[in-house]
């Protein structure tokens, strides 16, 4: 594995900051689930799509370490290690996996860097990986049967697909406009 360059570290910090800024968008509560609608998954998808698997995942590990240290970076101004133990904890921890999987898919799908390819990477990697950790965690912590937690999470799919589209469009634009900035 090649060592991280200063540019790599700056990109990781930048995308951790983008996800943090998206946490300023007020969460929208969903009455029947203890998980709100937030904008942060869009930043997660964008990090993976622009930075790739390694750096995208590292950017979100940095973000999660800052949250664990107590910084109120999650949507609604939440922070501290305790948030990982609550019903949304699996979705938050899933951010790093989601960014990695989005990047991995973006690096391997046909027509790398194209809008359709990036959308597939964001939708499958971002939504799929985040839900793969978040839904079982929600089920365990809230005492919901897994099927009910999964069924309730379907509420988020339309909005998350819109986020995937916005992230894919932004990533494709960045890759076209600044090809050297996204070379990894």
């Amino acid at each position: 594995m090649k060592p991280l360059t200063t540019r790599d570290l700056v990109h990781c910090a930048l995308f951790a900051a983008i996800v943090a800024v998206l946490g300023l968008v007020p969460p929208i509560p969903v009455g029947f689930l203890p998980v709100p609608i937030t904008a942060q998954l869009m930043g997660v998808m964008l990090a993976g799509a622009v930075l790739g698997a390694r750096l995208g995942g590292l950017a979100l590990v940095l973000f999660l370490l800052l949250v664990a240290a107590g910084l109120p970076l999650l949507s609604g101004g939440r922070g501290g290690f305790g948030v990982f133990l609550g019903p949304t904890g699996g979705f938050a921890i899933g951010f790093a996996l989601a960014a990695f999987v989005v990047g991995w898919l973006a690096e391997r799908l046909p027509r790398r860097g194209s809008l359709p390819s990036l959308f597939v990477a964001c939708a499958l990697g971002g939504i799929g990986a985040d839900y793969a950790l978040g839904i079982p965690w929600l089920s365990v912590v809230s005492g919901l049967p897994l099927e009910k937690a999964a069924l309730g999470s379907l509420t988020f799919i339309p909005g998350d697909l819109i986020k995937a589209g916005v992230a894919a469009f932004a990533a494709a634009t960045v890759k076209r406009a600044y090809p050297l900035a996204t070379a990894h």
Side-chain angles (χ1 to χ4, degrees), residues 4 16 24 30 42 50 56 76 80 122 136 160 174 181 184:
L4 293 174
L24 296 174
V30 178
M42 183 171 52
V50 171
C122 288
D160 286 343
V174 167
H184 19 275

Side-chain angles (χ1 to χ4, degrees), residues 9 19 79 82 106 146 157 159:
L9 294 173
V19 175
L146 186 59
I157 296 287

